[in-house]
Amino acid sequence: MNFIKSILLNRNFILILAVIAGLVIGDYAQYLKDYNIYILGVTMTFSMTGLDLRLINSFKKVFKPFTMGIILNYLVFGAVMLPLAWFLMPTKELFYGFVVIIAAPPGVAIIPFSHILKGRVDYAIIGVTGAFIASVFLAPFLVETFAKSEGIKSTEIFFTMVKLVIVPLIIAQLLRIKEVAPLVFYIRGRVVDFGFALIIFVAVGLNRQVFFTNPQLLALVATTLVISIFGLGILHQFVSKKMGVSYPTMITQNMLTTIKSSGFSVFTALTIFGQEAAIPSAVLAVMVLLYLIFLSLRFERKK
């Protein structure tokens, strides 16, 4: 019984089940669509309880990981994904979906996986925090720059980022106080797993016909993501080894370079550009999961 329970509550199983549910019973996704902002708000709040802002009380000490989080998660990742999406995507909505992925903050899974893979957890926390804060300003700029013809205003995106990043980040710090922290940390994993699973279910469910009827489109989306995540990740590891970067720093930087918040990008793409634009983010959730499994298996083999 405990074995079955551990499988049912496993993060990988929950996210895969969300994708399968979206394909099988996706007609029900429309009933959840209007509640996405609340689901994401709660999920982002609990996920960011792992970020301790006290670590950046002396900016001189954290300057390098703080800025590296921004450079790797936006500049390096975007430099690979943006041209690929521009050349490969057959519709502007799908291209905008990739712009949203680039504009999204990093996935908070970087922090626990830095611990699992023996990376630098402090580096991960500071790097993720830097990229999260930067996303409030970079996301409006990126979306408005590449989707100007859609009449999207940067101020609208900015206030959305404040609601979905800054407000949850502030509440998350309040939830770290010692009176409530034990309970918050105890339920955090389940809240985050099921919250992102619901958001992914909605994205897959709303686009289930595409998944069944347009395999060529899905192949193009998947190819773009495989190159941007797996290809970039392998290239980063190769360059890091040549530069003599230590393994703990390399593996954390590797995830900062390749892991984006699929739940955040699903909601943002759906809200701003519509259902089709959310397809890349729905596939992103699967690719990020596969990449983290890939890193874990490689780590176990190395041990």
Side-chain angles (χ1 to χ4, degrees):
M1 182 62 73
N2 287 334
F3 175 71
I4 296 173
K5 184 180 177 182
S6 67
I7 292 176
L8 292 176
L9 294 178
N10 180 271
R11 174 185 288 110
N12 299 342
F13 177 81
I14 292 169
L15 294 180
I16 291 171
L17 186 63
V19 175
I20 296 172
L23 294 173
V24 176
I25 56 171
D27 290 339
Y28 294 98
Q30 59 181 320
Y31 300 114
L32 283 174
K33 189 171 108 172
D34 293 338
Y35 300 99
N36 258 6
I37 188 167
Y38 306 109
I39 297 170
L40 182 61
V42 172
T43 305
M44 293 291 283
T45 298
F46 273 84
S47 66
M48 285 194 277
T49 54
L51 305 181
D52 188 355
L53 294 184
R54 290 175 298 181
L55 286 174
I56 56 176
N57 57 1
S58 175
F59 193 68
K60 273 187 178 179
K61 293 180 181 178
V62 301
F63 176 77
K64 186 175 180 180
F66 190 92
T67 53
M68 283 300 289
I70 300 169
I71 292 168
L72 295 174
N73 203 253
Y74 284 98
L75 186 60
V76 177
F77 182 81
V80 173
M81 177 172 281
L82 192 64
L84 282 171
W86 176 265
F87 285 113
L88 294 178
M89 289 307 104
T91 69
K92 63 180 182 179
E93 286 77 17
L94 287 169
F95 173 69
Y96 294 154
F98 279 100
V99 171
V100 170
I101 290 175
I102 295 167
V108 290
I110 294 169
I111 297 170
F113 271 88
S114 283
H115 173 72
I116 293 168
L117 301 177
K118 305 301 180 188
R120 291 181 57 185
V121 178
D122 58 335
Y123 196 107
I125 293 172
I126 296 166
V128 169
T129 302
F132 259 90
I133 294 172
S135 71
V136 177
F137 306 98
L138 290 175
F141 169 76
L142 287 167
V143 173
E144 185 180 34
T145 299
F146 293 102
K148 214 165 194 175
S149 61
E150 300 299 306
I152 305 296
K153 294 182 179 177
S154 60
T155 51
E156 295 175 9
I157 309 296
F158 175 78
F159 286 118
T160 299
M161 298 300 294
V162 169
K163 284 190 290 186
L164 295 178
V165 176
I166 297 300
V167 173
L169 183 58
I170 292 170
I171 297 174
Q173 298 308 298
L174 297 176
L175 292 177
R176 290 179 59 89
I177 61 175
K178 62 181 180 180
E179 288 80 8
V180 296
L183 175 62
V184 171
F185 293 156
Y186 179 74
I187 66 173
R188 176 177 63 190
R190 300 290 167 252
V191 172
V192 172
D193 292 346
F194 283 101
F196 280 134
L198 282 172
I199 294 168
I200 291 163
F201 165 73
V202 171
V204 174
L206 292 176
N207 292 286
R208 64 197 295 255
Q209 292 306 318
V210 176
F211 284 83
F212 289 125
T213 61
N214 202 334
Q216 288 182 325
L217 186 150
L218 287 178
L220 288 174
V221 170
T223 298
T224 304
L225 288 167
V226 167
I227 295 172
S228 301
I229 296 174
F230 284 83
L232 179 58
I234 293 168
L235 177 63
H236 175 273
Q237 183 183 17
F238 175 78
V239 173
S240 295
K241 280 185 176 179
K242 291 292 183 182
M243 294 177 64
V245 178
S246 66
Y247 171 81
T249 300
M250 182 277 294
I251 196 64
T252 296
Q253 287 184 345
N254 190 287
M255 288 186 286
L256 282 168
T257 307
T258 54
I259 306 299
K260 285 284 190 176
S261 174
S262 55
F264 179 93
S265 59
V266 163
F267 170 80
T268 307
L270 270 174
T271 304
I272 299 174
F273 298 115
Q275 292 178 201
E276 187 178 347
I279 294 173
S281 295
V283 181
L284 172 71
V286 178
M287 289 299 172
V288 166
L289 177 61
L290 292 175
Y291 186 65
L292 290 173
I293 293 172
F294 166 73
L295 290 179
S296 300
L297 291 175
R298 194 171 64 179
F299 175 72
E300 289 298 323
R301 188 180 66 179
K302 186 178 178 181
K303 277 206 306 184

